[in-house]
Amino acid sequence: HVVVVALISSLARVCADAPPASMRLMLGSCNKANVEQPFWGEIARRAPAAWIWMGDNVYADTKRLSYRETFKELSNSFQGKATTPFGVESSVFIMATAERIRQQYEMQRRVPGYQKLMKSSRILGTWDDHDFGINDGDRRYPFRDMSQDLFLDFLDEPLESGRRKQKGVYTSHTLQVGGHKVRVVLLDVRFHKTPYCSWPARLPCMDEEKDFLGPDQWKWLNETLQNSDSDFNLIISGIQILPELRWQGENWSRFPLARKRLLNTVLNSGARGGLF
């Protein structure tokens, strides 16, 4: 598994009139609950103000056990007999049930080092495909509502939170740094995502209807950025935003028009210090 860690500190360096102040944020993704995780001690030692999950916080879906199973699912899909709504796209991965997702989150919360971090740092986050429930997942995933509830339970989201009433896990948080603010904007690129236009080829989909966020989330994002008075606006997406024409893996360039819309939304919002 891979964990990506990044730091934001010394806000005073970019705000000339700021009093001496700093804050450490640490971010990570692509974490498997069932393998050794020796890094939490070092993360906790650095005492971040917040730990931010960027997606694939657990791997709830599973790979098929053999090429024979994969080819069988491919054959069934081409005959219109696919076992999942994803057809050929699910030939390699088996989508997770709600119970499987629950088990993975519970396993992660039992990791001693992560338990220590939960007591010392604020935990924020969004999801990506493997914790959502299926590789390259989108709005066709039949357990997405239950998956959202389980994800929010994992983050200890309050029962009265508006995040539990909406469709999707997108949200934002404002963190105070001395006399300045950092806004953490967490996107959901799964709940409302439309299917890709090609598989297994990873070609750009030029259709205007191809989208990652959905209408409600676009409206929320625009309002969130326009109304932000923060000095930094850190925008978190489960898949990469900036790379262009990257054929390997998922990224926003698979839906070029949606990517352009996202960049324009940020640039035209007036929000300061936009970071991806």
Side-chain angles (χ1 to χ4, degrees):
H1 64 285
V2 178
V3 170
V4 181
V5 175
L7 307 179
I8 296 178
S9 62
S10 299
L11 187 61
R13 294 177 185 174
V14 295
C15 301
D17 59 341
S22 65
M23 178 176 63
R24 174 172 289 159
L25 304 180
M26 302 188 75
L27 307 90
S29 66
C30 306
N31 175 67
K32 292 186 176 181
N34 62 333
V35 300
E36 186 178 0
Q37 300 175 15
F39 42 78
W40 293 117
E42 178 62 20
I43 292 170
R45 186 187 69 79
R46 292 171 179 259
W51 168 262
I52 306 173
W53 287 110
M54 297 191 296
D56 291 345
N57 312 316
V58 297
Y59 279 67
D61 59 348
T62 53
K63 282 190 173 181
R64 297 189 184 276
L65 296 177
S66 66
Y67 289 117
R68 182 176 180 179
E69 286 188 21
T70 295
F71 289 132
K72 181 179 179 180
E73 182 64 20
L74 274 174
S75 176
N76 288 338
S77 298
F78 288 132
Q79 297 176 55
K81 302 176 182 178
T83 60
T84 78
F86 297 91
V88 294
E89 295 174 63
S90 64
S91 59
V92 177
F93 284 84
I94 303 172
M95 67 180 187
T97 62
E99 182 57 29
R100 164 74 179 178
I101 296 171
R102 180 183 292 107
Q103 291 171 355
Q104 292 299 302
Y105 284 140
E106 290 176 352
M107 187 183 303
Q108 181 58 39
R109 288 178 65 93
R110 289 195 298 267
V111 174
Y114 183 61
Q115 290 182 337
K116 182 178 180 181
L117 183 69
M118 286 193 292
K119 294 177 181 178
S120 61
S121 298
R122 187 174 180 182
I123 307 295
L124 310 177
T126 188
W127 60 13
D128 197 29
D129 52 345
H130 294 289
D131 41 354
F132 176 63
I134 181 63
N135 181 59
D136 292 3
D138 56 47
R139 65 189 184 189
R140 295 172 293 174
Y141 180 54
F143 307 124
R144 61 179 183 165
D145 291 314
M146 288 184 284
S147 183
Q148 175 170 336
D149 289 339
L150 292 168
F151 172 75
L152 296 178
D153 290 344
F154 173 64
L155 293 183
D156 290 325
E157 190 79 17
L159 293 178
E160 66 276 11
S161 169
R163 206 177 183 190
R164 290 189 180 271
K165 299 178 177 65
Q166 67 188 27
K167 296 293 187 179
V169 302
Y170 57 90
T171 192
S172 70
H173 303 272
T174 299
L175 306 176
Q176 194 76 30
V177 190
H180 295 273
K181 298 177 182 178
V182 174
R183 174 68 66 90
V184 179
V185 180
L186 297 159
L187 303 180
D188 180 342
V189 296
R190 294 299 164 187
F191 199 97
H192 298 285
K193 177 186 171 294
T194 55
Y196 290 124
C197 58
S198 62
W199 190 94
R202 299 179 180 272
L203 303 176
C205 304
M206 301 305 299
D207 191 328
E208 291 184 359
E209 295 183 356
K210 294 299 182 181
D211 186 23
F212 287 107
L213 303 187
D216 290 344
Q217 188 173 180
W218 278 114
K219 182 176 183 292
W220 164 84
L221 177 60
N222 190 56
E223 293 174 351
T224 297
L225 293 175
Q226 287 185 348
N227 295 330
S228 175
D229 61 353
S230 296
D231 300 278
F232 276 130
N233 289 273
L234 178 61
I235 301 167
I236 306 293
S237 165
I239 59 174
Q240 293 179 320
I241 296 170
L242 296 180
E244 292 184 85
L245 304 177
R246 180 175 177 267
W247 67 270
Q248 185 179 11
E250 290 189 278
N251 54 84
W252 275 75
S253 64
R254 296 281 295 277
F255 293 163
L257 299 181
R259 177 179 179 274
K260 182 179 180 179
R261 181 180 180 181
L262 176 64
L263 296 178
N264 285 337
T265 296
V266 175
L267 290 172
N268 297 330
S269 68
R272 292 177 290 174
L275 299 172
F276 293 109

